[in-house]
Amino acid sequence: MGLACPAVCAGCGTAGDAFLCERCLAALPRADGPRCSRCWDALAAPGLCRHCAGRPPGFDMLRSPFALEGVAREAVHRLKYGGLAAAGPALAERMAAAWRDWDVTIDIVVPTPLHPRRQRIRGYNQAAVLARPLASALGIPLAHDAIRRSRATPPLAAGEGRDARWQALDRAFAPGPGRTAIAGRRVLLIDDVATTGATLSAGAETLRAVGATGVIALVFARDGSAAPSPASPDGDR
Ligand SMILES: [Zn+2]
Ligand SMILES: [Zn+2]
């Protein structure tokens, strides 16, 4: 571990040289149980959720190894707001391990872009910090500028409905200078978290517009879409 690594575990605060200690790694809450086959939202029984049955999202499927709670929520918070770009490889390693189990063919990895203004403030794009080590772990090329953020999305407001969220993200992305890498490819679109899935759906639609033959979304942790909280990280893209 390098000098940029934290001196304490992001999950429990125990001193150590790893981003998450062994105990916290083991305590990451798995996103298991019955899930929507398309958007991976928790369901009472496996199948399609009512949202995906009514208006299918832009991606073919979304997968997430973890639920956005407990240690996973702490880890994402540190990655995003703690200025800890060094946390990326540790989280990407878990994503890569989970992804190998799903065994879906993809050709290229694309991080969900941040709006340039937000990226300037944060200093890095947390999705890119995950996508880079993930792509190299999977041995798949990375296209970091295939799409770009054309509009900043306002933070998710308290009580804001799912439809309003999806409308706010309409035209949020545009083709980027690296779009030529996408034609005829199956894309793995990466983000840190998903709440409603609206951001990833909008990104996937733009990737299809530049020729992607399929788009699978992969996030580190997924929140339930039923009742997004005002503090939801998905609202802060
Ligand atoms: Zn710990
Ligand atoms: Zn669904």
Side-chain angles (χ1 to χ4, degrees), residues 42-122:
L43 290 180
L48 270 185
C49 74
R50 65 187 171 89
H51 298 302
C52 291
R55 176 190 161 170
F59 46 76
D60 299 297
M61 60 185 235
L62 187 159
R63 290 295 181 267
S64 172
F66 304 112
L68 190 61
E69 55 194 46
V71 176
R73 187 180 282 277
E74 284 303 312
V76 166
H77 200 267
R78 293 285 288 274
L79 170 71
K80 208 163 185 163
Y81 306 108
L84 272 184
L91 305 189
E93 199 181 302
R94 314 307 293 185
M95 293 169 79
W99 179 252
R100 289 191 190 99
D101 285 346
W102 278 305
D103 195 25
V104 178
T105 306
I106 42 133
D107 306 310
I108 198 157
V109 175
V110 172
T112 302
L114 268 187
H115 191 272
R117 192 166 57 233
R118 199 178 293 278
Q119 184 159 338
R120 266 199 306 279
I121 294 167
R122 188 167 294 160

Side-chain angles (χ1 to χ4, degrees), residues 35-41 43 47-53 57 59 162 222 225:
R35 302 240 150 208
C36 172
S37 59
R38 189 129 189 188
C39 75
W40 211 236
D41 200 6
L43 290 180
L48 270 185
C49 74
R50 65 187 171 89
H51 298 302
C52 291
F59 46 76
R162 188 177 189 275
R222 199 209 192 296
S225 67

